[in-house]
Structures are given as C-alpha cells and as structure tokens.
Amino acid sequence: MSVFNLRPHHALCISFFEGKGYSEDFTANMTRVINAFSEESASVRLTCSADVICAACPNACAGGCDSPDKVDSYDKAVLDICGLSEGGVIGAGELFALAREMVIDSGKIANVCADCCWAYICHGKI
C-alpha cells in the first residue's frame, strides 16, 4: 500500500486538474501524482504542510509555501467541511469522493478557495 502526504485542499485541485500548472515540472509532477492515486491501494496522510504536489511547485520555499496563511485556510476549510483531521490516513479514492460530495457538489468550494489563482478553472466546471 502506498501512502502519500497530501494537503487536504489538493483533493480539490486534483479533481479539476487539466494539465495546466505553474511550470512544466509542476504539471509533470501533478500528472505523476494523479496516476499514482489511481492505484486501488493508494492512501493519503492528510497534512497541512508541504506534500507530494508541493514538491515541484515554484511557490514552495524552505519546505513551505510562499502563501502559508492562504493555503492553510484552504486546508482547514476542507478538513472542517469533510469532518477529517490532519494526520489522518484515508484511501485516495475515498478522499476524492468525499471532497466532491461535501465541498464541490454541495456548493461550498467558493467558501474554501475563491481567491485561488486557478479558481476560474474549477468554477467553470461546476
């Protein structure tokens, strides 16, 4: 079983990913991560710090994000809405289904990340 560290709000990003990103390296990494999550046994450990997606993000600095308050608020909102806890381990498919049901389909995505620079992609697909 593979367990990957994942920021809770990245479950939303993955749901709407269409091959665009901050850089070619970021996009390639995101594609690899998504492919790894397609394994039936893949699980995630919920973290509110740098994760497998952040590893290739040009906004990552010193093991964190150059917008820590912003992404922390996204993570905390997803955890609260979905009834999850930081450090918890959950199946990747289960996390994505829960995020879809509780955040996206319930219309709460704007409460989580309306000020994200990629929000136009997500909101255009809802």
Side-chain angles (χ1 to χ4, degrees), residues 18-42:
E18 58 181 37
K20 297 178 182 175
Y22 299 105
S23 66
E24 286 183 31
D25 287 342
F26 177 86
T27 302
N29 182 62
M30 183 75 136
T31 301
R32 280 191 299 276
V33 169
I34 291 170
N35 288 338
F37 286 148
S38 67
E39 296 176 24
E40 190 172 313
S41 64

Side-chain angles (χ1 to χ4, degrees), residues 66 79 102:
D66 67 3
L79 290 173
M102 301 297 290

Side-chain angles (χ1 to χ4, degrees), residues 7-21:
R7 296 190 80 110
H9 85 268
H10 282 158
L12 303 175
C13 303
I14 288 168
S15 297
F16 293 103
F17 182 68
E18 58 181 37
K20 297 178 182 175

Side-chain angles (χ1 to χ4, degrees), residues 2 33 44-45 49 59-60 64 71 77 81 86 94:
S2 299
V33 169
V44 298
R45 179 174 295 106
S49 58
N59 297 322
V71 295
I81 293 168
E86 183 175 9
E94 183 181 355

Side-chain angles (χ1 to χ4, degrees), residues 11-118:
L12 303 175
C13 303
I14 288 168
S15 297
F16 293 103
F17 182 68
E18 58 181 37
K20 297 178 182 175
Y22 299 105
S23 66
E24 286 183 31
D25 287 342
F26 177 86
T27 302
N29 182 62
M30 183 75 136
T31 301
R32 280 191 299 276
V33 169
I34 291 170
N35 288 338
F37 286 148
S38 67
E39 296 176 24
E40 190 172 313
S41 64
S43 294
V44 298
R45 179 174 295 106
L46 299 168
T47 182
C48 293
S49 58
D51 67 4
V52 293
I53 292 174
C54 299
C57 181
N59 297 322
C61 57
C65 182
D66 67 3
S67 301
D69 294 338
K70 187 176 182 177
V71 295
D72 287 348
S73 73
Y74 297 169
D75 290 332
K76 287 179 174 74
V78 171
L79 290 173
D80 289 344
I81 293 168
C82 294
L84 299 169
S85 300
E86 183 175 9
V89 176
I90 184 171
E94 183 181 355
L95 174 62
F96 301 135
L98 189 60
R100 173 151 297 281
E101 176 188 351
M102 301 297 290
V103 180
I104 299 167
D105 293 345
S106 71
K108 295 179 182 174
I109 194 166
N111 299 0
V112 175
C113 51
D115 61 345
C116 172
C117 67
W118 301 102

